[in-house]
Amino acid sequence: MPQRQPRFGIIWIVFLVFVVLFFGRSIGSLIIDYQWWQEMGHLATWGEMMEYRFLPGIAAWLITFAALWIAHARGMKHAGTGLGEHPHYAKLSTLVLAAVSFVIATGTADGWTVARYLGGRETPQTAGAWTDPVFGEPLRFYFFDLPFYEMLISYVAATAFVCALAYYLAARGWQLKREIPGFTLGQEFDLRDLRVLGKFDTHMLKGLVASFLVAMAVQFWLGRYEMLTTDHGDLMTGMDYVQQNIGLPLQVAKAGFAILAALLVLIGRRKLALGCAVILVIDIILPPLVSGVYVRPNELSLEKPYIERHIAATRSAFDLDHRTKEVEFPASKSGRIDFDANATLLDNVRLWDWRPFHDTLSQSQPLRPYTYSDTDVDRYMIDGRLRQTLLAPRELDLNQLGAARDRWINRSLTFTHGYGFVMAEANRITEAGLPELLVQDAPLKVRSKSLNASRPELYYGEVTGNPVYVRTMQPEFNYPSGSSEVNTRYEGKGGFPISPLWTRIASTLANGDWNVLLTSAFTNESKMLVRRNILDRVGTLAPFLRWDEDPYLVTTPEGRLVWIIDGYLTSDAHPYARSISTTSLGRFNYIRNSVKATVDAYDGDAHLYIFDPDDALARAYESIFPTLFEPVSKMPKALREHARAPETMFHAQAELYRIFHMRDPESFYNKADLWDIATFTTGQGGEPTPTPPTYMIAKLPGEKEPEFLLVVPFTPRNKQNLIGLMAARCDGEHLGETVYLQLPKQEVIQGPLQVEALINQDQNISKDLSLWNQQGSQVLRSQILTLPIDQTILYVAPIYIQAAQARMPQLRKVALVQGETLIYADTYDQALAQLRAAQQGRPVLSPGGAAAAPSTATPAPMTTRGGPDPRMDLIRSHFERYRQLSAQGKWAEAGKELEAVETVVKSK
């Protein structure tokens, strides 16, 4: 015994080393995951996800293995032998059968399909508010029941087939071994030797083959439903005339013939059973024949009802007819703008495109080692007024540290978070042509009492990734201050304790980082922060959701920074609906923005709110994970005010609406009124690209107040004039509503590309652009803003200049186009004043500085009886601009301002 104990201990040590080497990372990750889910307060959800992920597969594996083992054992028994007589073969065959069973189970059993099926059982049939017109099944049947039935039948068919194969091979193999003693698996084999073994026709083999044929019959029967998602190209999606009248009966016939074949197999009529396959040949030949001979010459008349189904289903699948309103917008070129009534709208025109704004911040607000990863457009009530804003978070960029970024103390203990943000009003420009900042610098300077940023640190963000350790003996860098730096200490509730030895070992194993185990910087209060990337954070909480790749940051009245992320539920199983593919979401034919998540940038606290309780998928997941989701009523009011329509879903809707605004089947078939998303270019010689959806503050027809909207313009196919606008409402109870503004076809209104051409062709503007592009600078053009206002369209085109040596764009000019009037001025206020003057019939300065009235204008008198001369505002603006240019030493341009003043004074 004394000699055996050390040997026994060595065996245990070797075993533990083996476990650590091969399973240590998985075990460590599992422990860290447990700690993280406990930190998030969703341990029960994690347990439920683990059950759905593994239990269906394990159950399928065990059932398949048992069936295969029995089939194999019965085959050997039929051959007159058994597993007990061949112990080595028994062990080997058991391992092989277990491996084959595992492959079948993992290839056919999907835990999420089972989970959705169970969740769908709790979903009312009215969820989704759509039923298919052929079988009368609700939407939940296609989302939950049908995928589960198809998975189950595929599993049964695969298991029956492999069991029949295992039974046959075991029986025939051991029969050959018995009847032909010299037979081995490696030798050449003559099939005629099987005649020695006699006829192989057992009840078990018949039963397995019949089970396989019955499973095939059920698959044929379920295949009827798959016809509802057949893609017929540009014509339609879903069951067409041929499938309804020929394919559907043939599908039923194939199921019947499969049942008949199963019965024939059971009674031993195998040749007749094989003859049942003739129905498959008929199914291949008959439908194309009918389509080519009868349907194609009469396609429109025969397919008309099916096209109607396709249009209705697609509009429903993409939410194009729920909480929507189509409005005739009688816009005209000569429409007049009420400048006073639209003061809020005009005062919120976004002059700064997010791209030049982002580049400007990198030069005007640099802060090592932070970077501006993104710029978000939002709206805030600032000093009692609704203002459109641009907000850029500062996130950590360790690459700015150079070689020091690889030091473990720097990346794990010292540089742990981002710091603050920069905010500007989208309409405010300084005299130097730069954005006027509301929040800037470090420490943060807030220039409005309406804003607060008391907790500016960002421990969780868009680009943050690696785990960090806080509340250690190492000070955390916050921001530079002169030649020194300001440090901080994490006081949030995020993370979990890292001081226990077993947690440090788990972290070491999970991340392969031995410094966690060896460092002496940890204290009893030290914490580990993991999954700091907010998309990874919410993606782990709800992996069945598709998350928007562009989260946006919000500052609350209490001064906390909170991320908002849009979540989508998509499917490719909606009957009759056209599918679409996007870069971020893949291919789908159903989408809902059912969930919005919030993540506290300091604590990492995450909440998932249901915004669309009518969505069948959302209802199913809510029933599966009851503690994961919260109703929208639980969302704090300060965050609810910043919820908005997401660009990703809106772009998909716009892509479909340009086709599916045609509800008449004949117009749809002929593509008589096909639209395109309006295009624009970023400069001379650039290729036109579709206009991205744009957030703006505008006033919809029939509404009294401007609101935050997401807008995209449309043009007719192969033409450039404006034909319509699509707007998603974002404020209050109107969130989720969509308004379609349809312009009159009799009135030709310029589209964005035509307006851009009008600007480029103006000789004075073209001269300026060419000159600036040759003086060590570069002209930058953003997309032209299309603003519906009163009963006309106002286009706003900011023009930026950027030095060749530094990416710091400055807003240099603003062009406004309304109807036939083109205004070109140094500032937006000047351009707006000139547009007002043009509408009132007063002289307007041309881009070159000379007075030029539009064709509809009449000369205005120098004085008026009722008050001061209306031209005084214009004269004052030119004198103010003269002083600014003189101070900058730009005497040539200042001289033009004096000439412009003289022209206005002499005008009559």
Side-chain angles (χ1 to χ4, degrees):
M1 291 298 295
Q3 293 178 353
R4 291 181 182 179
Q5 286 179 355
R7 185 177 300 173
F8 185 75
I10 292 174
I11 293 175
W12 269 107
I13 293 173
V14 172
F15 175 76
L16 290 176
V17 170
F18 174 82
V19 170
V20 170
L21 287 177
F22 289 93
F23 302 103
R25 190 179 188 90
S26 299
I27 295 172
S29 297
L30 186 65
I31 294 173
I32 296 300
D33 282 345
Y34 176 86
Q35 294 287 331
W36 183 79
W37 282 95
Q38 187 177 49
E39 170 200 342
M40 302 303 293
H42 289 294
L43 268 179
T45 300
W46 185 49
E48 292 163 351
M49 286 185 182
M50 298 287 281
E51 291 174 4
Y52 290 125
R53 180 180 177 183
F54 295 111
L55 287 185
I58 292 173
W61 182 25
L62 294 176
I63 293 172
T64 304
F65 174 70
L68 271 177
W69 191 90
I70 293 172
H72 178 258
R74 293 293 298 272
M76 293 186 67
K77 183 178 180 181
H78 178 80
T81 185
L83 290 171
E85 301 176 17
H86 311 280
H88 295 294
Y89 172 79
K91 294 178 182 179
L92 179 61
S93 62
T94 301
L95 291 175
V96 172
L97 294 178
V100 173
S101 302
F102 181 79
V103 172
I104 294 174
T106 55
T108 57
D110 177 58
W112 285 116
T113 300
V114 177
R116 283 190 292 268
Y117 173 75
L118 297 176
R121 296 288 85 196
E122 305 297 328
T123 304
Q125 293 193 2
T126 56
W130 189 89
T131 57
D132 82 81
V134 179
F135 304 106
E137 295 288 353
L139 195 57
R140 47 159 281 181
F141 172 80
Y142 296 96
F143 285 170
F144 313 126
D145 298 351
L146 184 59
F148 176 75
Y149 298 151
E150 290 177 334
M151 181 198 74
L152 193 61
I153 293 304
S154 297
Y155 167 72
V156 171
T159 301
F161 177 80
V162 176
C163 285
L165 186 63
Y167 177 78
Y168 179 84
L169 293 176
R172 281 307 196 189
W174 284 102
Q175 280 181 330
L176 286 170
K177 185 73 174 176
R178 183 189 62 193
E179 300 294 338
I180 309 176
F183 171 76
T184 60
L185 291 177
Q187 75 179 43
E188 185 178 349
F189 176 69
D190 190 349
L191 292 176
R192 288 176 295 181
D193 292 340
L194 291 176
R195 297 176 183 177
V196 180
L197 304 179
K199 185 179 180 180
F200 189 74
D201 192 11
T202 67
H203 292 298
M204 184 167 187
L205 183 61
K206 291 178 181 178
L208 289 172
V209 174
S211 298
F212 174 76
L213 291 173
V214 170
M216 292 299 297
V218 177
Q219 281 190 332
F220 289 140
W221 183 261
L222 295 178
R224 301 177 307 145
Y225 301 106
E226 294 179 1
M227 292 182 179
L228 299 183
T229 55
T230 306
D231 186 2
H232 298 283
D234 290 338
L235 177 63
M236 59 169 290
T237 299
M239 187 179 292
D240 64 356
Y241 177 87
V242 173
Q243 288 178 316
Q244 175 98 33
N245 295 278
I246 306 297
L248 191 58
L250 281 175
Q251 202 71 14
V252 176
K254 286 192 293 184
F257 272 76
I259 294 293
L260 177 61
L263 295 175
L264 291 172
V265 166
L266 289 176
I267 63 176
R269 308 297 296 270
R270 290 179 294 179
K271 291 184 179 180
L272 287 177
L274 287 174
C276 292
V278 68
I279 191 65
L280 300 177
V281 178
I282 296 174
D283 184 54
I284 294 173
I285 296 174
L286 187 58
L289 183 63
V290 174
S291 177
V293 174
Y294 177 65
V295 175
R296 191 167 299 169
N298 309 283
E299 191 171 53
L300 178 57
S301 60
L302 293 176
E303 301 289 10
K304 187 174 181 179
Y306 306 98
I307 293 175
E308 286 181 347
R309 297 174 181 177
H310 172 54
I311 295 172
T314 302
R315 291 178 64 93
S316 175
F318 286 86
D319 214 18
L320 295 177
D321 54 6
H322 176 61
R323 299 185 68 199
T324 61
K325 182 168 57 174
E326 293 186 346
V327 178
E328 295 290 338
F329 184 49
S332 66
K333 291 182 180 180
S334 58
R336 297 179 64 83
I337 299 175
D338 188 336
F339 289 87
D340 295 328
N342 292 286
T344 302
L345 186 159
L346 295 171
D347 203 30
N348 273 285
V349 171
R350 198 176 87 195
L351 300 179
W352 275 101
D353 186 82
W354 69 268
R355 298 170 186 84
F357 178 79
H358 183 274
D359 291 340
T360 298
L361 291 186
S362 301
Q363 299 295 327
S364 63
Q365 284 283 298
L367 192 68
R368 276 185 93 246
Y370 300 116
T371 185
Y372 300 98
S373 59
D374 193 14
T375 298
D376 301 310
V377 182
D378 206 344
R379 74 286 197 196
Y380 287 82
M381 292 298 296
I382 297 176
D383 300 330
R385 296 186 302 167
L386 179 65
R387 308 299 299 173
Q388 187 172 188
T389 62
L390 296 169
L391 188 151
R394 284 198 196 100
E395 296 210 57
L396 191 64
D397 181 15
L398 290 177
N399 290 326
Q400 296 186 25
L401 298 178
R405 68 178 180 272
D406 297 324
R407 296 171 186 164
W408 184 80
I409 291 179
N410 283 341
R411 71 172 187 270
S412 300
L413 305 180
T414 304
F415 296 95
T416 57
H417 59 275
Y419 181 83
F421 60 96
V422 174
M423 179 189 284
E425 288 189 40
N427 190 262
R428 294 291 177 260
I429 310 296
T430 66
E431 293 183 359
L434 299 176
E436 189 173 291
L437 302 180
L438 290 169
V439 181
Q440 63 186 90
D441 298 340
L444 287 186
K445 295 179 182 177
V446 181
R447 301 183 181 276
S448 172
K449 295 181 180 179
S450 304
L451 301 172
N452 189 7
S454 59
R455 183 57 73 183
E457 293 84 7
L458 285 82
Y459 282 85
Y460 301 86
E462 289 186 81
V463 298
T464 302
N466 61 297
V468 296
Y469 306 91
V470 296
R471 296 189 185 180
T472 65
M473 298 175 63
Q474 178 69 26
E476 297 178 50
F477 176 85
N478 211 22
Y479 56 86
S481 177
S483 58
S484 60
E485 59 187 41
V486 176
N487 295 319
T488 187
R489 179 180 174 84
Y490 184 68
E491 300 296 338
K493 59 182 181 181
F496 51 84
I498 191 62
S499 54
L501 179 61
W502 64 274
T503 309
R504 295 170 69 173
I505 294 175
S507 177
T508 298
L509 294 174
N511 300 307
D513 188 355
W514 291 96
N515 293 291
V516 179
L517 194 60
L518 301 176
T519 184
S520 59
F522 292 155
T523 68
N524 292 333
E525 297 181 351
S526 297
K527 286 186 172 185
M528 180 180 183
L529 275 57
V530 298
R531 293 197 174 96
R532 298 192 303 128
N533 183 288
I534 54 176
L535 289 178
D536 179 34
R537 201 169 186 82
V538 296
T540 305
L541 277 175
F544 45 83
L545 282 164
R546 313 294 291 274
W547 293 101
D548 198 296
E549 294 181 347
D550 185 24
Y552 57 100
L553 190 67
V554 169
T555 177
T556 68
E558 297 76 24
R560 299 195 70 89
L561 302 182
V562 179
W563 295 97
I564 298 181
I565 312 106
D566 286 286
Y568 308 103
L569 283 166
T570 63
S571 174
D572 59 358
H574 195 296
Y576 277 102
R578 174 75 59 87
S579 64
I580 191 174
S581 180
T582 66
T583 304
S584 58
L585 300 181
R587 181 162 290 276
F588 54 90
N589 70 357
Y590 173 91
I591 184 171
R592 291 292 186 274
N593 177 214
S594 307
V595 178
K596 294 182 186 290
T598 62
V599 178
D600 190 288
Y602 191 73
D603 288 334
D605 194 23
H607 296 272
L608 277 60
Y609 300 99
I610 297 287
F611 269 69
D612 187 357
D614 295 330
D615 177 23
L617 289 171
R619 293 284 291 272
Y621 284 118
E622 189 178 16
S623 64
I624 299 171
F625 307 114
T627 61
L628 182 60
F629 298 100
E630 302 175 53
V632 66
S633 58
K634 295 291 185 67
M635 192 176 196
K637 182 176 180 294
L639 296 178
R640 178 68 177 77
E641 291 175 351
H642 291 278
R644 67 189 191 188
E647 290 185 57
T648 301
M649 178 173 172
F650 184 75
H651 185 272
Q653 290 177 310
E655 186 64 29
L656 268 298
Y657 184 74
R658 70 183 186 85
I659 304 172
F660 288 88
H661 71 277
M662 296 181 289
R663 300 194 186 188
D664 178 67
E666 188 168 347
S667 297
F668 185 90
Y669 178 84
N670 295 318
K671 300 298 186 287
D673 191 22
L674 189 63
W675 295 354
D676 284 325
I677 295 176
T679 57
F680 79 106
T681 64
T682 56
Q684 295 180 350
E687 288 295 327
T689 56
T691 302
T694 304
Y695 290 105
M696 63 178 64
I697 291 180
K699 186 166 64 174
L700 292 170
E703 299 296 330
K704 297 180 180 179
E705 297 294 333
E707 56 187 293
F708 196 58
L709 302 171
L710 183 59
V711 179
V712 68
F714 296 104
T715 59
R717 169 58 60 91
N718 298 325
K719 296 181 180 179
Q720 297 301 331
N721 59 289
L722 195 67
I723 193 63
L725 293 164
M726 180 176 172
R729 307 180 73 176
C730 301
D731 292 340
E733 62 182 12
H734 297 298
L735 175 65
E737 295 180 7
T738 308
V739 179
Y740 311 108
L741 303 182
Q742 298 180 345
L743 276 65
K745 297 180 182 178
Q746 299 78 14
E747 182 82 11
V748 179
I749 298 178
Q750 304 101 314
L753 202 61
Q754 291 175 324
V755 169
E756 188 172 347
L758 181 66
I759 294 173
N760 291 336
Q761 292 168 5
D762 183 274
Q763 59 180 355
N764 295 296
I765 299 178
S766 177
K767 180 180 64 176
D768 284 350
L769 299 182
S770 300
L771 180 64
W772 291 328
N773 275 320
Q774 296 174 5
Q775 293 183 341
S777 60
Q778 177 186 4
V779 176
L780 301 180
R781 304 283 294 276
S782 67
Q783 71 179 77
I784 296 177
L785 300 180
T786 306
L787 299 175
I789 180 170
D790 290 336
Q791 291 188 351
T792 188
I793 299 293
L794 175 63
Y795 289 100
V796 182
I799 300 174
Y800 313 91
I801 296 180
Q802 174 180 273
Q805 293 79 14
R807 297 176 61 87
M808 187 173 177
Q810 296 173 285
L811 183 64
R812 187 63 178 269
K813 294 283 186 179
V814 176
L816 302 181
V817 177
Q818 191 264 318
E820 301 295 337
T821 304
L822 168 62
I823 304 296
Y824 178 60
D826 292 326
T827 68
Y828 174 70
D829 291 336
Q830 291 177 5
L832 209 57
Q834 293 184 34
L835 183 61
R836 182 195 289 259
Q839 182 171 290
Q840 294 174 354
R842 293 185 280 128
V844 179
L845 288 180
S846 69
S855 58
T856 57
T858 56
M862 187 65 184
T863 60
T864 61
R865 295 181 181 180
D869 189 327
R871 289 172 290 177
M872 291 302 298
D873 291 338
L874 196 56
I875 293 173
R876 289 193 188 95
S877 68
H878 284 298
F879 269 121
E880 178 63 27
R881 185 60 180 161
Y882 169 77
R883 284 194 292 269
Q884 294 174 5
L885 293 172
S886 299
Q888 298 173 15
K890 300 178 181 178
W891 301 108
E893 295 181 29
K896 289 183 180 180
E897 297 296 327
L898 290 179
E899 293 174 2
V901 171
E902 183 180 2
T903 302
V904 173
V905 172
K906 291 180 178 179
S907 64
K908 295 184 179 181

